[in-house]
Amino acid sequence: IRGDQGPSDLPISLLVHCLENDALLFALCQDHKLRMWSYKDQMCLMVADMLEFVPVNKDMRQTAGTGHKLRLAFSPSLGLYLGVYMHAPRRGQFCVFQLVSTENNRYSLDHISSLFTNQETLVDFTLTSTDIWALWQDEESQTIVKHINFEHNLAGQWNQVFVQPLPEEEVTINDNQDPRETYLEALFTPGQFTSAALLKALQIFRRGVGRILELSWEELKKEVTLAVETELHSSITEYELSQEEFRQLQVEFWSKFYACCLQYQEALSRPLALHINPNTNMVCLLKKGFSSFLVPCSLVDHLYLLFDEHFLTEDENAISEDLDIAHDVTCLIQCLRLIGESISVDMACVMETECFHLQSPEVAAVQILQDLISNDIEHVMNDIHSKLNDVRNPVQAIGWIIHEMDYETEMEMERGFDLAQPLNVRMNLSQLYGSDTAANIVCQAVYQIASTRFLICRDLLVLLQEMLRLGDICFGGGQLLQAQQDLIPRTSQLLSSYYVIRWGSQCLASAVPVDTLESNLQHLSVLELSDSPALAPAHKSVSSPQTLIELFFQDISRKQIIAHLFSQPNTPLSQTDLNWPQLVTEIASYLIQQIWPNNPGFLFPECLMGSCQYIQLQEYVRLLQSWCQMNVGSCRFMLGQCYLVTGEGHKALECFSQAASEVGREDFLDRLIRVEDGETASTPRLQYYNKVLRLLEDVGLPELVIQLATLAITEAADDWRSQAALRTRIFKHHLDLGHNNQAYEALTQISDSSRQLDCLRQLVVILCERSQLQDLVEFPYVNLHNEVVGIIESRARAVDLMTHNYYELLYAFHIYRHNYRKAGTVMFEYGMRLGREVRTLRGLQKQVNSYLAALNCLRLIRPEYAWIVQPASGAVYERPGASPKRSHDGECTAVPTSRQIEILELKDLEREYILARTRLTLAQHEPSTAAVAGSSSAEEMVALLVQAGLFDTAISLCQTFKLALTPVFEGLAFKCIKLQSGGEAVQAEAWEWLAANQLPTVITTKESSATDEAWRLLSSYLNKYKSQSHRYHRCIINQLLSHGLPLPNWLINSYKAVDAAELLRLYLNYDLLAEASDLVLEYVDALLGRGHQYFGIEHPLSAISPMVWLPYSAIDHLLCVLAENPANQHNSAVYQKLQEKLSDYLQKVDTATRDMLYRCTRR
């Protein structure tokens, strides 16, 4: 659609509205006329001259309209509204029309209202079905927003919108403040400067060197500090500067950067447009660098911030239906505003400082009042007095103001959404107000409320002090006392509460890594606060700085508030459209209730604890401690938790102890001590102590656990189970710390025998592992002696002998108590097990030592008592707690009810000791035999010793156990045989085992070989160890002859001297006929007196000597064999020779016999 392009009807504001099947175009033109076209019909439907509605329009007709604006608003019930702004120099006019449709598709405008304004520059305005919202910018570039109801405002007065002002142009720095810290606080306080303004100022300050990327809030702070400090140091030309000169330079450069930031912030804050969401009525102010959202103001804040010229009758009617009360409140609010306008920056700092240092606000109010009176140049106090004179009932009016600002409530919010609601509804509600922007809006609203009301409370406290000073002039009929005892304390508490909330709205939360958060939650899991949403915060990163209130709102509070609002009837959430003004007001109000210090809820500190904001939590508790009487114990507990994290354990213990007095009175502490199903309930304070003890144990502070457990014992005076548990804790941590004496003392005081036995077992094991055996042995163990012995015995029989030597401990234990028999029994059992289980050289050494210790013990006892009971063989020990033994089919095997008792005396132990020492000797000589020798018997050991060549040791063992020496002689003979036929290697090896034996006198006349020494050793043994039947000779000769070796002469001579007949039989057994024949001939000659001394015959054959004899059977056997082979000439000759010798012998025997008989008959 193209109209006349002449300048007079040129559209300067154009809008489109879709109506049914057509699109209507509205154009406000330079000729001050409003035209309407139909897109469907391609024709102009209406022309209206706007100057008809302007009272004075003569000048305007002469000039083209350039500042006119057109806005539309559509309501399904009321139709289409048109808002026209007619701009004229130094004035402006809003006209509101309703589009009326007539017959034949004709339209006309129904004039609703005309509103006038004297503001200079209109930036934008927005029309709704009831209101006009307008945005101006004055000559000082300040943003002005107002709104008015165009139908029901007879006075035509606009409602003021309190827009957040720009940051202060100058930063005030006291002498005791550091310029850098003060400016950084002013620059980076949330809500003051945007990051875009700071980045632009930083870029300019650095003269464009390098491109600055997106930085986090903390990184930006560091970069700003670095840039200003670098610029500062580069400007210093003097080598030495006084402190005052350097401070002046700091102020100069920081103020320069601050001014730059302020300039960019002002540029970014320039208003561009005003937007209203028609569905939610949310008003948004669009600026160059960011957007602002308008939030409804409460009545008391509105009255305090409103200037007198803007005060409306409707405001007074909103206070109360009672006109007297409304009038009194209005007068008081005006007094408060007068005081607020008169308070200087220094006076305001007095109250801030007193609140920060936890001093009394009443004292600060008195000081401010004194300063106001002394500096009252403009006679403000007189104006206040005159207004106070108009107040009929000050106590009631002040009570109304206090009531409006007090958020104290007993209401508890639901912890989650109603499951009866549909899933999609719950999912949508869970996201409502969940963005960072929404959280920032809500928390900024809370900050504005807290800041405004802090000022109201401050001014009210000053006013109350002035009213007290005036006395009965203001208060009458006992109201003075009520003001002193009720109004001033309540106002002081409100001021402190809003100070804390304002602090939380400005204090930034620390950025915490996810792993630190998880570690913190794992540590806090000891508290078992499973139902607390504050201990499960959402782990999400935020791009902008997040205050503590924002953190709490996003992580915890938001869902609870939305769920609570949704559960209430007739609330915005139950309607189709969500009303922004009402909803944001409710959310901010409920959020303040949740963080209100005097309310019983404790979620805010819990959230700080769960989110690792311990420094901020510590400051929060500090700000409450001097005046807040709610959740005192819970706050002390939180402070203790902060001290734990910062490593100040003793301070934490003090706080935990102080919190115990409030157990059972506060919800948080009650949830802390909640008893689960199946647990034994004790007193609440004991449950609290147990929870704190677990917390301290988890942190790893055993000294504090001991102190707190000792304190808790006094609380458990009548509960022996709890006392036993606490003393067990004390014992455990004393033991962990190495306080052995204190641990033992705690052990003796445990009243539960089962716990005491467990602790005793732990004491024994731990001290053994630490090798602190002296303490373990020297403890007196009153009434616990048998238990200690049983524990050590059980451990001794259950663990590896070479890893933990509990037997030696038990031996020392008995020796210390002079119980030598038990000490000997222990060491003997130890030796037995060593031989059975540890078949190594080290094990054999320990076995010898243990048997020797057992011997020493018995030798210290009187002989009649020097005996022990034989320990059980194998591993059959009755150990407490041991699992039952089972057969192959799983059935428990029958335990033997009794066993035969064997008594061991001193001589038995000596034999065992010698056997053990022999095993050790063998193992030292040949280490490979250690595994075999460990459990060998005496007979087996003799064989092993003989095999190893340790003949002296073998003989000693045989003598101890009364064994025959036959194996020794056989073994030595065999070695001689091997040496006889062996080479040099065998000879060299023989010297090793020969050296291990006590050799006879060394022959120095000639060189001796190993073979010679072996034969000499054998000869010496035969001479040294006699036997009745001369079996040692026989076994040696058997060994030699069986291997086909000729008998050495010394052996023949030795055996001839003791048993020639047996030698003859041995010759015959091995078919040595020649040797046998020679032996018979020599033996017969010896009997006849020739060489009789070589055969051990003292008296040869004669009539006067004892009878002699010949082994006739053996000689007959020899003769028979010789006669069997007459063809052998040698045998025949020998046979003939023997026969002749025997004939001669028999003849002499006959003669000697006759002589002896003759002599007998002569007698």
Side-chain angles (χ1 to χ4, degrees):
I1 300 173
R2 302 174 65 85
D4 187 2
Q5 298 300 312
S8 62
D9 56 356
L10 181 69
I12 56 176
S13 184
L14 186 67
L15 292 174
V16 179
H17 176 71
C18 295
L19 183 66
E20 295 180 353
N21 296 324
D22 198 0
L24 303 179
L25 280 73
F26 298 89
L28 186 60
C29 305
Q30 286 187 356
D31 59 0
H32 315 294
K33 293 181 180 180
L34 176 64
R35 293 175 172 84
M36 183 179 78
W37 287 274
S38 168
Y39 176 77
K40 178 181 178 182
D41 298 333
Q42 299 286 305
M43 61 182 294
C44 181
L45 303 179
M46 182 190 70
V47 178
D49 189 358
M50 294 294 102
L51 291 181
E52 294 178 1
F53 305 97
V54 178
V56 181
N57 57 27
K58 182 178 179 180
D59 295 338
M60 294 181 65
R61 288 189 182 277
Q62 313 252 334
T63 60
T66 56
H68 303 334
K69 297 183 184 298
L70 174 65
R71 297 291 182 267
L72 300 179
F74 178 75
S75 171
S77 58
L78 301 176
L80 184 65
Y81 286 91
L82 285 81
V84 177
Y85 174 72
M86 302 298 294
H87 174 71
R90 294 182 299 280
R91 72 181 188 276
Q93 179 182 343
F94 291 92
C95 297
V96 181
F97 304 95
Q98 186 173 15
L99 184 66
V100 180
S101 174
T102 60
E103 297 178 359
N104 301 323
N105 201 23
R106 292 185 178 275
Y107 293 89
S108 63
L109 295 177
D110 184 6
H111 181 251
I112 302 298
S113 176
S114 289
L115 302 169
F116 301 93
T117 175
N118 57 2
Q119 300 292 338
E120 191 65 33
T121 306
L122 180 72
V123 179
D124 192 19
F125 83 98
T126 303
L127 181 69
T128 70
S129 58
T130 57
D131 292 88
I132 294 176
W133 290 78
L135 169 64
W136 288 277
Q137 194 169 24
D138 62 9
E139 297 175 353
E140 299 177 355
S141 299
Q142 294 294 327
T143 301
I144 299 172
V145 180
K146 293 184 179 182
H147 67 98
I148 192 170
N149 187 301
F150 54 77
E151 285 189 298
H152 302 98
N153 196 317
L154 300 177
Q157 290 188 347
W158 291 74
N159 295 298
Q160 182 74 26
V161 174
F162 307 107
V163 181
Q164 183 178 0
L166 289 170
E168 295 292 336
E169 292 187 2
E170 293 184 357
V171 177
T172 305
I173 304 177
N174 297 328
D175 293 337
N176 58 349
Q177 290 180 312
D178 179 48
R180 179 177 65 181
E181 295 300 325
T182 306
Y183 273 101
L184 283 174
E185 183 180 357
L187 288 168
F188 289 92
T189 297
Q192 292 295 306
F193 291 91
T194 62
S195 58
L198 293 172
L199 280 170
K200 285 179 178 292
L202 180 61
Q203 187 76 30
I204 294 298
F205 209 73
R206 290 169 55 174
R207 298 181 179 87
V209 178
R211 182 165 175 248
I212 300 177
L213 302 174
E214 283 293 325
L215 300 173
S216 68
W217 200 246
E218 287 298 321
E219 290 171 341
L220 181 58
K221 190 174 183 179
K222 291 179 182 177
E223 287 294 328
V224 167
T225 306
L226 180 62
V228 177
E229 293 294 322
T230 302
E231 191 73 15
L232 168 65
H233 287 93
S234 64
S235 67
I236 297 176
T237 57
E238 302 290 336
Y239 286 103
E240 291 187 5
L241 283 177
S242 66
Q243 188 173 355
E244 185 59 33
E245 289 173 333
F246 183 73
R247 178 183 173 86
Q248 289 298 328
L249 278 176
Q250 278 188 305
V251 172
E252 177 186 341
F253 280 90
W254 277 105
S255 61
K256 180 180 176 183
F257 181 79
Y258 182 83
C260 189
C261 293
L262 193 63
Q263 181 181 354
Y264 280 107
Q265 183 68 23
E266 185 175 350
L268 294 173
S269 301
R270 182 168 63 85
L272 301 178
L274 195 64
H275 171 72
I276 295 181
N277 187 323
N279 296 319
T280 62
N281 296 323
M282 181 177 69
V283 183
C284 179
L285 179 58
L286 303 177
K287 300 182 180 180
K288 183 178 180 181
F290 54 95
S291 57
S292 298
F293 297 84
L294 305 188
V295 177
C297 188
S298 66
L299 180 57
V300 66
D301 298 354
H302 169 74
L303 294 173
Y304 180 78
L305 295 172
L306 191 66
F307 293 106
D308 290 342
E309 60 267 20
H310 297 294
F311 189 79
L312 305 176
T313 308
E314 290 86 346
D315 296 327
E316 192 169 288
N317 294 335
I319 296 173
S320 175
E321 295 178 357
D322 189 333
L323 297 179
D324 292 338
I325 296 177
H327 177 265
D328 290 349
V329 171
T330 303
C331 292
L332 281 175
I333 292 290
Q334 291 172 348
C335 293
L336 295 179
R337 191 160 50 247
L338 286 172
I339 292 174
E341 292 170 354
S342 303
I343 291 178
S344 65
V345 175
D346 292 337
M347 294 180 193
C349 284
V350 170
M351 184 62 77
E352 297 279 350
T353 305
E354 294 295 304
C355 290
F356 179 77
H357 291 293
L358 309 180
Q359 303 300 319
S360 171
E362 292 95 325
V363 176
V366 171
Q367 184 177 344
I368 292 173
L369 178 61
Q370 292 172 353
D371 292 341
L372 283 175
I373 294 172
S374 61
N375 300 317
D376 188 15
I377 301 173
E378 299 179 358
H379 306 289
V380 174
M381 301 308 294
N382 292 334
D383 296 339
I384 293 173
H385 294 162
S386 64
K387 291 184 180 296
L388 287 177
N389 290 331
D390 296 336
V391 179
R392 299 176 183 85
N393 191 340
V395 171
Q396 190 176 16
I398 294 172
W400 182 90
I401 296 174
I402 292 175
H403 178 267
E404 286 295 312
M405 295 190 298
D406 196 354
Y407 283 92
E408 190 169 337
T409 178
E410 296 291 333
M411 182 188 67
E412 286 288 335
M413 291 189 184
E414 294 81 0
R415 294 296 174 93
F417 295 105
D418 186 1
L419 297 179
Q421 296 294 337
L423 178 61
N424 63 329
V425 173
R426 280 184 278 135
M427 290 179 64
N428 290 333
L429 288 173
S430 67
Q431 300 300 320
L432 188 61
Y433 281 73
S435 67
D436 292 342
T437 303
N440 183 262
I441 294 169
V442 173
C443 296
Q444 276 297 313
V446 170
Y447 169 71
Q448 294 295 341
I449 293 172
S451 300
T452 303
R453 295 190 178 179
F454 176 80
L455 299 178
I456 295 173
C457 293
R458 179 198 66 186
D459 299 343
L460 180 58
L461 208 52
V462 174
L463 181 62
L464 281 168
Q465 295 295 342
E466 174 62 13
M467 295 171 74
L468 284 180
R469 191 177 70 86
L470 296 175
D472 293 336
I473 299 175
C474 293
F475 297 109
Q479 289 185 337
L480 183 62
L481 183 62
Q482 183 179 356
Q484 289 177 324
Q485 296 182 349
D486 179 40
L487 297 181
I488 290 180
R490 288 175 62 190
T491 305
S492 178
Q493 280 218 342
L494 282 177
L495 181 138
S496 298
S497 298
Y498 281 116
Y499 179 82
V500 172
I501 293 174
R502 191 188 66 177
W503 167 84
S505 302
Q506 292 286 283
C507 181
L508 291 176
S510 304
V512 182
V514 175
D515 55 348
T516 305
L517 271 177
E518 292 176 350
S519 174
N520 179 60
L521 290 178
Q522 184 177 2
H523 164 63
L524 294 178
S525 65
V526 175
L527 300 178
E528 297 178 347
L529 291 170
S530 57
D531 61 338
S532 175
L535 297 186
H539 297 163
K540 61 178 182 178
S541 59
V542 290
S543 56
S544 59
Q546 192 179 38
T547 65
L548 298 181
I549 303 296
E550 287 181 65
L551 175 72
F552 173 64
F553 178 75
Q554 287 188 294
D555 285 357
I556 310 300
S557 178
R558 178 183 62 84
K559 289 185 179 180
Q560 289 194 3
I561 294 173
I562 298 298
H564 177 74
L565 288 172
F566 186 71
S567 66
Q568 301 300 312
N570 302 321
T571 60
L573 286 177
S574 63
Q575 302 171 7
T576 305
D577 298 331
L578 299 175
N579 191 314
W580 162 265
Q582 184 178 351
L583 186 58
V584 74
T585 302
E586 292 286 336
I587 291 175
S589 176
Y590 281 125
L591 178 57
I592 294 177
Q593 283 185 19
Q594 286 195 318
I595 59 179
W596 192 254
N598 276 320
N599 282 343
F602 203 63
L603 279 178
F604 181 56
E606 285 187 62
C607 174
L608 297 183
M609 178 176 68
S611 302
C612 278
Q613 306 298 320
Y614 286 107
I615 296 176
Q616 294 87 335
L617 177 58
Q618 190 171 348
E619 178 65 12
Y620 174 78
V621 175
R622 186 192 73 83
L623 292 174
L624 297 182
Q625 66 184 9
S626 65
W627 58 271
C628 183
Q629 300 304 313
M630 183 63 67
N631 292 317
V632 176
S634 303
C635 285
R636 300 309 295 172
F637 181 87
M638 286 294 178
L639 187 58
Q641 180 65 23
C642 294
Y643 284 138
L644 275 188
V645 174
T646 56
E648 299 174 277
H650 291 283
K651 289 184 180 179
L653 180 62
E654 183 180 354
C655 291
F656 291 142
S657 303
Q658 292 169 352
S661 61
E662 300 299 321
V663 172
R665 303 177 190 173
E666 299 176 7
D667 175 68
F668 173 76
L669 296 179
D670 288 345
R671 288 191 290 115
L672 198 66
I673 63 173
R674 185 172 300 162
V675 179
E676 301 293 336
D677 295 337
E679 292 185 11
T680 304
S682 56
T683 64
R685 196 170 293 186
L686 269 180
Q687 295 174 44
Y688 167 78
Y689 281 134
N690 284 328
K691 189 63 68 73
V692 176
L693 286 170
R694 290 175 58 189
L695 191 64
L696 295 174
E697 287 174 337
D698 186 68
V699 177
L701 298 172
E703 300 95 339
L704 303 186
V705 173
I706 294 169
Q707 292 181 38
L708 188 60
T710 305
L711 176 63
I713 287 175
T714 60
E715 186 70 26
D718 301 326
D719 188 348
W720 66 271
R721 286 190 178 87
S722 297
Q723 274 202 354
L726 290 169
R727 294 194 185 280
T728 301
R729 260 196 170 103
I730 293 174
F731 160 80
K732 174 184 178 298
H733 291 289
H734 271 312
L735 188 60
D736 291 342
L737 291 170
H739 304 161
N740 299 341
N741 293 327
Q742 292 89 333
Y744 172 76
E745 183 179 352
L747 167 71
T748 59
Q749 295 174 351
I750 298 175
S751 55
D752 187 341
S753 58
S754 175
R755 284 181 180 272
Q756 189 180 46
L757 190 60
D758 290 340
C759 293
L760 186 61
R761 186 176 294 108
Q762 192 175 4
L763 177 71
V764 171
V765 174
I766 295 298
L767 292 188
C768 284
E769 290 176 351
R770 294 177 184 166
S771 300
Q772 296 175 334
L773 304 181
Q774 184 171 357
D775 288 346
L776 184 59
V777 168
E778 293 179 357
F779 286 141
Y781 300 109
V782 179
N783 299 324
L784 293 172
H785 182 275
N786 293 335
E787 287 79 0
V788 175
V789 172
I791 290 171
I792 301 177
E793 285 181 350
S794 174
R795 295 293 298 178
R797 294 164 180 168
V799 301
D800 182 29
L801 291 174
M802 304 303 287
T803 306
H804 300 94
N805 198 342
Y806 287 95
Y807 280 105
E808 292 182 357
L809 170 63
L810 196 56
Y811 168 75
F813 183 88
H814 289 309
I815 289 292
Y816 185 76
R817 287 157 180 77
H818 307 292
N819 195 341
Y820 299 115
R821 181 188 291 171
K822 285 191 175 181
T825 304
V826 166
M827 295 311 288
F828 187 74
E829 180 182 328
Y830 180 40
M832 286 177 57
R833 287 193 58 198
L834 284 168
R836 188 169 57 247
E837 300 174 21
V838 187
R839 298 179 180 181
T840 62
L841 180 61
R842 188 181 171 205
L844 291 173
Q845 289 172 338
K846 285 181 172 290
Q847 186 184 38
V848 169
N849 293 335
S850 63
Y851 283 155
L852 189 58
L855 277 173
N856 291 337
C857 289
L858 290 189
R859 284 170 179 159
L860 294 172
I861 308 174
R862 291 166 57 184
E864 59 268 29
Y865 299 111
W867 54 269
I868 61 173
V869 176
Q870 168 78 41
S873 61
V876 186
Y877 302 111
E878 296 180 359
R879 298 194 303 270
S883 60
K885 302 304 176 186
R886 300 179 184 274
S887 61
H888 66 280
D889 57 356
E891 297 296 327
C892 292
T893 56
V895 179
T897 56
S898 62
R899 59 184 177 86
Q900 187 176 1
I901 296 176
E902 184 178 352
I903 302 300
L904 298 178
E905 296 180 348
L906 189 59
K907 59 183 180 180
D908 300 318
L909 264 67
E910 289 175 345
R911 293 172 61 191
E912 289 296 329
Y913 165 68
I914 292 174
L915 178 59
R917 192 179 61 189
T918 303
R919 292 169 180 160
L920 177 60
T921 303
L922 175 62
Q924 289 172 336
H925 183 73
E926 289 190 10
S928 61
T929 61
V932 180
S935 60
S936 300
S937 63
E939 291 81 358
E940 294 168 338
M941 278 304 302
V942 170
L944 292 173
L945 290 169
V946 168
Q947 183 180 353
L950 303 178
F951 298 103
D952 284 351
T953 307
I955 291 172
S956 175
L957 185 63
C958 290
Q959 289 175 336
T960 301
F961 284 87
K962 295 182 172 54
L963 302 176
L965 299 181
T966 304
V968 179
F969 284 98
E970 287 179 349
L972 182 54
F974 180 72
K975 284 189 175 291
C976 291
I977 294 169
K978 288 182 64 177
L979 285 172
Q980 196 76 30
S981 59
E984 293 183 1
V986 177
Q987 293 283 330
E989 183 183 351
W991 282 113
E992 295 181 8
W993 61 262
L994 282 170
N997 296 284
Q998 186 66 39
L999 296 173
T1001 305
V1002 179
I1003 299 174
T1004 57
T1005 56
K1006 66 174 183 177
E1007 184 178 351
S1008 177
S1009 66
T1011 306
D1012 297 338
E1013 291 300 324
W1015 284 115
R1016 290 183 60 237
L1017 181 63
L1018 180 60
S1019 175
S1020 67
Y1021 284 163
L1022 281 175
N1023 294 331
K1024 188 174 182 180
Y1025 304 109
K1026 307 293 185 178
S1027 63
Q1028 293 180 352
S1029 59
H1030 313 296
R1031 56 184 173 182
Y1032 302 145
H1033 288 78
R1034 184 168 60 251
C1035 72
I1036 293 172
I1037 293 173
N1038 263 323
Q1039 191 74 266
L1040 295 175
L1041 295 181
S1042 64
H1043 284 83
L1045 259 70
L1047 299 181
N1049 291 332
W1050 64 265
L1051 180 59
I1052 296 173
N1053 294 334
S1054 174
Y1055 202 16
K1056 283 195 304 185
V1058 294
D1059 194 351
E1062 183 60 28
L1063 179 60
L1064 175 60
R1065 284 191 285 271
L1066 288 172
Y1067 280 154
L1068 292 175
N1069 288 342
Y1070 289 96
D1071 290 336
L1072 299 176
L1073 301 181
E1075 289 82 355
S1077 301
D1078 294 340
L1079 178 62
V1080 170
L1081 292 173
E1082 290 178 6
Y1083 191 34
V1084 171
D1085 287 339
L1087 288 175
L1088 295 178
R1090 292 189 294 272
H1092 62 87
Q1093 66 274 11
Y1094 299 115
F1095 284 85
I1097 301 172
E1098 295 181 2
H1099 304 286
L1101 179 65
S1102 67
I1104 57 176
S1105 63
M1107 291 185 293
V1108 295
W1109 62 276
L1110 273 178
Y1112 289 105
S1113 298
I1115 294 174
D1116 290 341
H1117 187 196
L1118 175 62
L1119 292 173
C1120 181
V1121 171
L1122 291 173
E1124 284 180 356
N1125 191 4
N1128 190 325
Q1129 296 180 1
H1130 179 266
N1131 287 352
S1132 297
V1134 171
Y1135 177 80
Q1136 187 63 36
K1137 191 174 182 180
L1138 284 173
Q1139 285 287 10
E1140 292 175 357
K1141 181 64 71 174
L1142 287 173
S1143 298
D1144 182 47
Y1145 170 73
L1146 290 174
Q1147 182 181 358
K1148 290 183 178 180
V1149 167
D1150 182 65
T1151 304
T1153 303
R1154 292 179 184 275
D1155 291 343
M1156 184 179 66
L1157 291 174
Y1158 174 76
R1159 289 174 61 82
C1160 289
T1161 55
R1162 290 282 305 260
R1163 290 178 186 172

